[in-house]
Amino acid sequence: MAFTDSDATSQRISTSQNICQRCKNMGSICFSRKEYFCKDCFLRFIRGKQRKLMMEDKFKVQYPQKGVESVSQNVMLALSMGSSSLVLFDILFNLLLEQTKTHRGRQGFHLKVVIVDESTLSDSDYSVRDKVEELKEAYGIDHNCPVDVSFKIVDPNQFILDSDQVGSILIDNDFQSYITGNNSEDTKKLTITEILDQTPNRSSREDILEMVIYQLLIRTCLVINCQTILFGHSMTKLADQVISLTVRGRASLIGKRLTDAVEIHNGSEIHIIHPLRDVLKSEVVHYSEMLQLERFNVMNQKKAADLLKSKVNKSMTVNELTRSYFDSIEGDYSEVVSTVVKIGTKLDQLRSTEHNKRCIVCDIQLSSDPKHWLENITVNEPAPVVTEADINNLRIYSETCLLEDDASKLVMNPGSEVDMCYACLTSLQDIRSAFRWPVARASKEQILDEFTIGDDI
Amino acid sequence: MAFNPKTACHLCHSRKAVMKRPKTLQKLCKECFYNVFETEIHNTIISANLFHKGERVAIGASGGKDSTVLAHILKTLNERYDYGLELVLLSIDEGIVGYRDDSLATVKRNKEQYQMPLEIVSYKELYSWSMDEIVACAGIRSSCTYCGVLRRQALDRGAARLGIAHVVTGHNADDMAETVLMNLLRGDVNRLESSTNIITQSSGSPIKRSKPFKYTYEKEIVLYAHYKKLDYFSTECTYAPEAFRGTARTLLKSLEAIKPSCIIDIIQSGENFKLKPKKQRKNVVKRNTAQEIEVRGDGSVSLNKDGNKCESCGYLSTNKICKACILLKGLESSRAKVPIEGGNIAIDGAAQVTKKLETLSF
């Protein structure tokens, strides 16, 4: 049976007269999945959803065996300061609190909360740092709190500082990408805002920012020695992702982003879990309202600012359009959200056929050759120039317009060829000038792989 | 008029650009647009190995822009690249008065213009029902369900009648992208991986279908037909498109407005969809399905699953009765025993009524 956001909200106003169908004792305050809930039963119901998806032993309290002290997992929570990640934080905090109470101060895992401070990327009037302090205060963290929780705020510009140098990426008419002018000094000067400002439209900007944040979270996870990352995405958000990844040509990521996958970064395994995968967005909103978590939510303020920019359909991003699509069909086709997530979880990760080739921008392993695919379906050859007048026009054009843009300069100085995935290639193809991007210096192994022909040394 | 290099075609740099190409947003002259449009379709045909020399191919012709451009392009490419094809127009007359009769008139003109033989197969002749009668009986909401099932079969039957094993249709990149989105939104696991197949063929069927416009934008087809001054019929079917598909179409159009490459991006995603292998159940002995015989509820047995024939009409079906016969049987049971005197306005055709209303003056 597919439950939907509209099931959860439809009779919310008239619920005060009804008794909670779970405890049969208290008056209900919300209606979800065709059932009336009181506050305690609803919170328990949602918390149960998280527990169901984090059943593994590594999240349970371990006692030392035969004098050997057990080692707890370090678990990282990616906190965007939006409704669903705040709800997940509350659920995890309460889980750990319960564990410390029932197991004499022991807890199943160490929770490390990581926040990427997006407020630094725009002229926002909210401070993530202040909101985090408010959150810590409200949960009594730093005041002899029995639960071991730590917070880390990450500056998005760290993404550039982690890299060795800045390269200029150019894409020619045949979809071949090149990198030129590496400069090790530039990493300190370039900012994420400057990188985002190079993108041709808001959708590309959103795509690049999403990817920067994801990679930053993965890198931070390793730096703070965590083995697992928890994301607070609700079922509705995951459905949005299935469609928007498809639209952006990133279908190969659906399998990994939706299911509980293993991400391998620099040889280390990181487990990715979405504990709120079975929770609807409206349920997240109920939960958040019941516990007044909205006061910590900075995403509402960010969204309001973004909405001002995107009143007209044409200036909306792919994510915003997808979101508004699901909102618009919710009434008549309410089961679509769970259907989309269900089919998304059935998709497999693509196996790479292009061994050791990774996208220079988003760092995903290439499963096919996008350049070849695009070349097959796009012709850029002109029709023959035959008349005398046209030949004369071509001569005038060559004299006046040639070598005006960077793409033409490429002919003179192509730089070295690099690999790009399909989505990054099409997203950045419209940029006529070079795209400045932080890149890692090639390792000895990469150089040997690329340039060694025989086995002899 | 003096040549201005700033308004020159992006590809040839010698002629004046007259249009912005929807697929790449490049400013192109007519000649370069024709060149890239035709060459891309030729490349699609060659890379998918769609045809073989001497093959007889039926073009599913509705008289609309897609099929008219398809007929024109296939004739052009067949001559230019010597495919050695024998092309035939195959039309389906669904029986929608005021819509299909007008579009069939266009196809008949196309027959003369392109010098191709034309075969028309009608629903009335095949199933004893016209679409106007079906809509009058079953209502407008399910019109696309009936029409889709019946047309698929009618195309196969028409091709078989002509002794042709290959039907090409004018499905374009927008249709493909819409199908990928629809399969995701409907959760259609069985069709998801094959959403973007350029060649489709029912198991056991001798007729294959292909879509040479798989990577061709709908807007480019319109532009090509416009600049080439092709004779096509441009009215949409009178019976409303399926409501849910309509929402997916609106989403796609909105997405295309902000990201023109999204149509090709969705097709690229569709080609990369791969389902996880099904989990094997524990303690289940693997059955030898090849030797199994299905015993139906009425005691009869199914002899062969692939290539089974419908017991009612003899058309290829995996079930005892094909989908078309099931739908028609339902219609028969609800057909009025006594017709209303003066006739039903819906049977006359909603399209015809609309057309009459359009000519009224006040």
Side-chain angles (χ1 to χ4, degrees):
Chain A
M1 173 83 203
F3 288 103
T4 66
D5 276 356
S6 60
D7 286 334
T9 51
S10 55
Q11 293 182 34
R12 204 170 146 245
I13 300 158
S14 61
T15 53
S16 56
Q17 303 297 317
N18 296 293
I19 295 291
C20 168
Q21 283 173 272
R22 292 275 165 119
C23 65
K24 311 220 183 319
N25 186 22
M26 303 291 286
S28 67
I29 61 161
C30 80
F31 181 76
S32 189
R33 311 193 190 208
K34 301 183 177 174
E35 213 176 333
Y36 291 101
F37 289 92
C38 66
K39 182 180 172 183
D40 287 348
C41 289
F42 183 73
L43 297 180
R44 195 182 161 81
F45 168 66
I46 299 296
R47 286 169 185 170
K49 296 273 174 202
Q50 170 268 324
R51 289 183 190 208
K52 212 170 131 188
L53 289 164
M54 287 174 65
M55 292 274 274
E56 289 167 72
D57 282 347
K58 63 183 177 184
F59 302 118
K60 291 175 185 164
V61 175
Q62 310 283 329
Y63 281 90
Q65 283 180 339
K66 293 177 185 167
V68 181
E69 192 62 34
S70 60
V71 183
S72 293
Q73 274 262 323
N74 288 327
V75 173
M76 178 180 132
L77 167 65
L79 190 70
S80 67
M81 301 299 282
S83 299
S84 51
S85 64
L86 284 166
V87 165
L88 183 58
F89 169 75
D90 179 84
I91 292 173
L92 293 171
F93 185 85
N94 280 289
L95 172 74
L96 293 175
L97 193 63
E98 194 183 299
Q99 285 179 344
T100 50
K101 280 179 185 167
T102 40
H103 296 279
R104 282 179 259 163
R106 287 175 187 274
Q107 60 184 62
F109 55 91
H110 300 290
L111 185 63
K112 300 189 175 188
V113 182
V114 172
I115 306 113
V116 178
D117 187 359
E118 287 180 60
S119 65
T120 56
L121 301 178
S122 55
D123 303 327
S124 48
D125 51 2
Y126 61 90
S127 159
V128 167
R129 212 161 276 276
D130 291 350
K131 287 285 175 190
V132 170
E133 285 309 315
E134 278 179 47
L135 183 73
K136 283 160 83 175
E137 187 69 33
Y139 281 85
I141 298 162
D142 296 341
H143 299 289
N144 298 325
C145 176
V147 178
D148 175 20
V149 187
S150 61
F151 283 79
K152 183 177 174 68
I153 298 176
V154 181
D155 180 358
N157 291 310
Q158 187 61 41
F159 179 80
I160 303 169
L161 296 172
D162 287 347
S163 309
D164 304 318
Q165 50 200 330
V166 173
S168 296
I169 298 170
L170 281 162
I171 302 164
D172 68 11
N173 282 340
D174 296 326
F175 310 104
Q176 177 60 56
S177 35
Y178 300 88
I179 196 157
T180 54
N182 294 339
N183 185 344
S184 55
E185 289 302 307
D186 267 349
T187 51
K188 285 163 196 153
K189 293 176 197 161
L190 189 68
T191 64
I192 287 290
T193 313
E194 283 168 347
I195 286 182
L196 296 176
D197 287 345
Q198 303 174 89
T199 51
N201 50 51
R202 288 188 68 226
S203 283
S204 300
R205 183 187 172 93
E206 183 183 65
D207 190 41
I208 297 286
L209 179 60
E210 231 173 66
M211 189 265 301
V212 165
I213 292 174
Y214 187 80
Q215 283 201 29
L216 208 45
L217 288 169
I218 297 286
R219 289 181 197 173
T220 311
C221 179
L222 290 178
V223 170
I224 61 175
N225 197 24
C226 286
Q227 297 81 38
T228 306
I229 303 184
L230 307 177
F231 283 98
H233 301 340
S234 65
M235 187 196 286
T236 318
K237 163 88 178 172
L238 290 173
D240 287 356
Q241 276 206 344
V242 175
I243 301 295
S244 74
L245 287 172
T246 305
V247 171
R248 285 186 272 162
R250 293 196 186 275
S252 58
L253 290 178
I254 294 176
K256 196 153 91 176
R257 292 281 169 92
L258 246 75
T259 44
D260 296 343
V262 175
E263 179 90 47
I264 297 170
H265 190 79
N266 287 346
S268 303
E269 279 191 3
I270 301 168
H271 292 254
I272 313 271
I273 304 177
H274 301 95
L276 300 186
R277 202 175 64 202
D278 291 342
V279 179
L280 298 161
K281 188 185 161 205
S282 54
E283 289 169 335
V284 164
V285 173
H286 283 179
Y287 189 104
S288 179
E289 282 173 2
M290 279 174 194
L291 298 176
Q292 294 164 348
L293 299 176
E294 283 306 299
R295 61 199 151 125
F296 311 117
N297 188 345
V298 298
M299 294 306 270
N300 278 346
Q301 293 164 49
K302 185 173 173 280
K303 268 182 199 158
D306 285 348
L307 215 64
L308 281 175
K309 290 179 202 159
S310 59
K311 267 183 186 166
V312 189
N313 249 11
K314 273 209 157 185
S315 62
M316 287 172 95
T317 64
V318 170
N319 278 356
E320 285 166 357
L321 261 177
T322 317
R323 182 83 293 279
S324 73
Y325 172 72
F326 278 113
D327 285 342
S328 70
I329 59 162
E330 205 175 80
D332 293 332
Y333 307 99
S334 50
E335 69 293 341
V336 173
V337 168
S338 57
T339 306
V340 171
V341 174
K342 216 175 280 171
I343 198 163
T345 53
K346 286 179 184 166
L347 289 172
D348 205 356
Q349 294 181 43
L350 284 182
R351 303 283 168 258
S352 174
T353 51
E354 301 285 316
H355 295 295
N356 298 325
K357 285 189 176 177
R358 298 189 89 92
C359 173
I360 186 84
V361 180
C362 69
D363 198 39
I364 66 159
Q365 199 158 11
L366 302 187
S367 55
S368 59
D369 180 6
K371 176 184 172 294
H372 180 68
W373 192 84
L374 280 163
E375 263 176 349
N376 264 351
I377 63 159
T378 318
V379 170
N380 277 321
E381 295 302 315
V385 178
V386 280
T387 67
E388 208 164 297
D390 290 345
I391 294 169
N392 192 39
N393 289 345
L394 184 59
R395 186 184 51 76
I396 297 170
Y397 180 88
S398 309
E399 284 167 1
T400 51
C401 296
L402 208 62
L403 306 178
E404 261 190 5
D405 55 25
D406 284 339
S408 307
K409 282 177 195 160
L410 191 62
V411 181
M412 312 294 287
N413 178 26
S416 47
E417 288 185 7
V418 280
D419 296 309
M420 273 175 100
C421 72
Y422 174 84
C424 290
L425 199 58
T426 49
S427 187
L428 301 176
Q429 202 195 349
D430 293 338
I431 304 174
R432 295 304 303 156
S433 57
F435 182 72
R436 295 173 77 210
W437 185 252
V439 284
R441 194 173 284 125
S443 66
K444 183 186 161 193
E445 287 73 21
Q446 282 170 321
I447 295 168
L448 288 176
D449 271 357
E450 194 178 343
F451 296 102
T452 309
I453 301 168
D455 293 334
D456 288 345
I457 298 171
Chain B
M1 211 173 122
F3 172 71
N4 179 1
K6 285 187 177 165
T7 59
C9 166
H10 185 92
L11 292 181
C12 67
H13 309 305
S14 62
R15 289 174 288 254
K16 191 181 178 222
V18 292
M19 51 143 5
K20 207 151 111 183
R21 193 183 177 201
K23 190 172 176 179
T24 56
L25 300 181
Q26 290 167 323
K27 288 173 184 159
L28 300 185
C29 64
K30 260 195 242 178
E31 288 77 3
C32 286
F33 173 63
Y34 294 154
N35 183 54
V36 295
F37 184 87
E38 289 164 3
T39 314
E40 280 176 11
I41 295 164
H42 168 68
N43 289 350
T44 307
I45 289 170
I46 298 302
S47 61
N49 209 7
L50 286 192
F51 307 123
H52 60 83
K53 214 158 191 149
E55 191 175 13
R56 293 187 75 210
V57 177
I59 301 169
S62 65
K65 60 177 188 325
D66 298 318
S67 59
T68 305
V69 173
L70 182 63
H72 176 89
I73 280 278
L74 283 186
K75 184 180 166 59
T76 309
L77 298 180
N78 193 26
E79 288 164 5
R80 185 182 300 163
Y81 298 104
D82 192 22
Y83 291 163
L85 300 179
E86 191 184 325
L87 299 167
V88 178
L89 296 171
L90 173 61
S91 283
I92 307 299
D93 179 5
E94 294 95 345
I96 306 173
V97 180
Y99 163 68
R100 184 51 87 212
D101 41 0
D102 283 0
S103 64
L104 282 177
T106 315
V107 180
K108 282 171 191 164
R109 289 198 300 277
N110 289 161
K111 175 194 166 193
E112 304 304 325
Q113 289 153 0
Y114 304 129
Q115 295 291 304
M116 288 178 195
L118 167 68
E119 175 78 15
I120 300 176
V121 183
S122 77
Y123 280 8
K124 188 75 182 170
E125 164 202 352
L126 283 180
Y127 313 112
S128 313
W129 283 86
S130 71
M131 264 316 286
D132 283 339
E133 288 168 340
I134 291 172
V135 171
C137 186
I140 202 161
R141 268 184 80 93
S142 48
S143 56
C144 291
T145 311
Y146 283 94
C147 197
V149 172
L150 300 182
R151 191 192 296 116
R152 193 176 172 78
Q153 208 183 89
L155 268 175
D156 274 11
R157 284 172 184 267
R161 193 189 283 178
L162 292 162
I164 290 175
H166 189 172
V167 178
V168 287
T169 55
H171 288 94
N172 56 44
D174 298 48
D175 299 327
M176 282 275 182
E178 196 179 297
T179 305
V180 172
L181 284 183
M182 282 297 289
N183 286 339
L184 275 177
L185 295 168
R186 280 182 175 154
D188 198 335
V189 182
N190 296 327
R191 290 190 183 147
L192 195 65
E193 280 178 312
S194 59
S195 307
T196 53
N197 283 359
I198 190 163
I199 299 173
T200 50
Q201 187 161 22
S202 309
S203 171
S205 166
I207 316 282
K208 73 169 180 182
R209 288 202 187 82
S210 64
K211 305 170 182 104
F213 286 168
K214 178 182 173 184
Y215 298 116
T216 310
Y217 274 41
E218 189 181 31
K219 284 178 182 163
E220 296 198 354
I221 292 171
V222 173
L223 284 166
Y224 187 84
H226 170 75
Y227 285 123
K228 287 274 182 184
K229 296 187 173 56
L230 300 185
D231 179 11
Y232 69 91
F233 182 74
S234 59
T235 310
E236 283 281 308
C237 176
T238 348
Y239 298 125
E242 191 193 342
F244 186 54
R245 185 173 276 272
T247 67
R249 192 169 294 173
T250 312
L251 172 66
L252 191 64
K253 292 294 159 207
S254 312
L255 287 166
E256 197 190 348
I258 58 162
K259 193 174 190 280
S261 72
C262 82
I263 288 172
I264 287 296
D265 297 348
I266 293 172
I267 295 176
Q268 211 273 347
S269 288
E271 288 185 4
N272 281 316
F273 283 149
K274 192 177 180 307
L275 292 169
K276 283 177 188 165
K278 279 183 183 168
K279 280 179 190 167
Q280 293 285 333
R281 281 186 195 167
K282 282 177 189 169
N283 305 326
V284 174
V285 181
K286 205 177 176 187
R287 297 179 308 175
N288 187 355
T289 46
Q291 288 180 2
E292 272 184 4
I293 296 174
E294 180 197 347
V295 181
R296 301 192 190 103
D298 59 3
S300 61
V301 291
S302 166
L303 294 174
N304 183 10
K305 202 165 169 128
D306 284 341
N308 231 3
K309 297 273 188 278
C310 167
E311 288 179 10
S312 177
C313 69
Y315 179 70
L316 186 88
S317 168
T318 46
N319 299 312
K320 187 178 168 187
I321 306 289
C322 73
K323 183 82 178 156
C325 287
I326 292 170
L327 290 174
L328 293 168
K329 205 174 172 189
L331 283 171
E332 285 298 344
S333 61
S334 53
R335 198 202 286 257
K337 301 283 178 294
V338 184
I340 300 165
E341 207 173 318
N344 187 335
I345 193 165
I347 294 174
D348 283 346
Q352 199 180 30
V353 178
T354 316
K355 215 170 182 187
K356 273 183 192 167
L357 285 170
E358 279 169 5
T359 57
L360 289 179
S361 59
F362 297 96

